[in-house]
Amino acid sequence: MKQLLRIFICVVVAFTSMSTYAQKNKGPEFEISQDSSVCDTIWIMADKPVEYPGGTDAMYTFLFDKMKNGGDLHAVNTQKMMVKMLVSSDGSVLEKKVLRSLDPETTQDVLQAMDQFPKLIPAQKNGKDVCSYFLVLVNLLR
């Protein structure tokens, strides 16, 4: 019993310490790119985030219209795919990284549809357009 209580206390202390640390240290506001091509500084905490022209609904409509095997936008039982995009200060998508994928065929279909995105509205920091990340979560009914 003492062993269980000791383990429980250690877990509570560890969790509390991590929560306190996370609240005090919210992480960096930006990162320095190792590849100093277009984006030397990538802002993680921008004043205004990256946006799709016309908003989120327009983005999903465009995405599912361009997919070969489009999905249902309003599905309850869905599979989720997450893509992280690096968007330059002029709104161009410089790179895409799949953080959570679906089956290979559907993942490729989503990425090809994203290749046809118009220029995005870049993030802003102190009134200037900056490089930043844009996360897109795709929910598909399968």
Side-chain angles (χ1 to χ4, degrees):
M1 186 67 168
K2 287 184 180 182
Q3 183 74 12
L4 283 174
L5 183 59
R6 193 174 298 154
I7 291 171
F8 177 74
I9 290 172
C10 289
V11 170
V12 170
V13 169
F15 180 73
T16 306
S17 299
M18 287 187 292
S19 303
T20 304
Y21 178 81
Q23 290 173 356
K24 289 181 181 176
N25 302 304
K26 294 183 181 176
E29 194 172 15
F30 63 90
E31 65 183 45
I32 305 298
S33 175
Q34 301 300 324
D35 174 26
S36 60
S37 55
V38 177
C39 293
D40 293 333
T41 303
I42 301 168
W43 289 89
I44 298 167
M45 301 292 292
D47 298 334
K48 183 179 172 207
V50 175
E51 292 179 27
Y52 185 88
T56 305
D57 288 341
M59 177 185 68
Y60 286 119
T61 300
F62 177 88
L63 187 62
F64 288 109
D65 284 348
K66 295 295 181 182
M67 289 176 59
K68 294 175 192 166
N69 303 314
D72 184 356
L73 282 172
H74 306 290
V76 175
N77 284 330
T78 60
Q79 292 181 337
K80 295 176 176 26
M81 176 178 172
M82 185 177 291
V83 180
K84 180 180 178 180
M85 297 181 193
L86 176 60
V87 179
S88 72
S89 59
D90 73 353
S92 302
V93 176
L94 301 176
E95 62 185 52
K96 293 187 295 291
K97 181 178 181 181
V98 177
L99 301 179
R100 182 187 301 161
S101 64
L102 302 169
D103 62 272
E105 183 180 325
T106 306
T107 298
Q108 191 60 33
D109 194 17
V110 171
L111 292 175
Q112 287 175 350
M114 286 180 171
D115 286 341
Q116 299 176 45
F117 271 1
K119 282 199 173 189
L120 301 174
I121 300 168
Q124 288 191 342
K125 184 70 177 178
N126 299 325
K128 293 184 179 182
D129 293 341
V130 295
C131 293
S132 187
Y133 292 113
F134 183 49
L135 289 175
V136 179
L137 180 63
V138 179
N139 297 321
L140 294 173
L141 176 63
R142 292 285 181 218

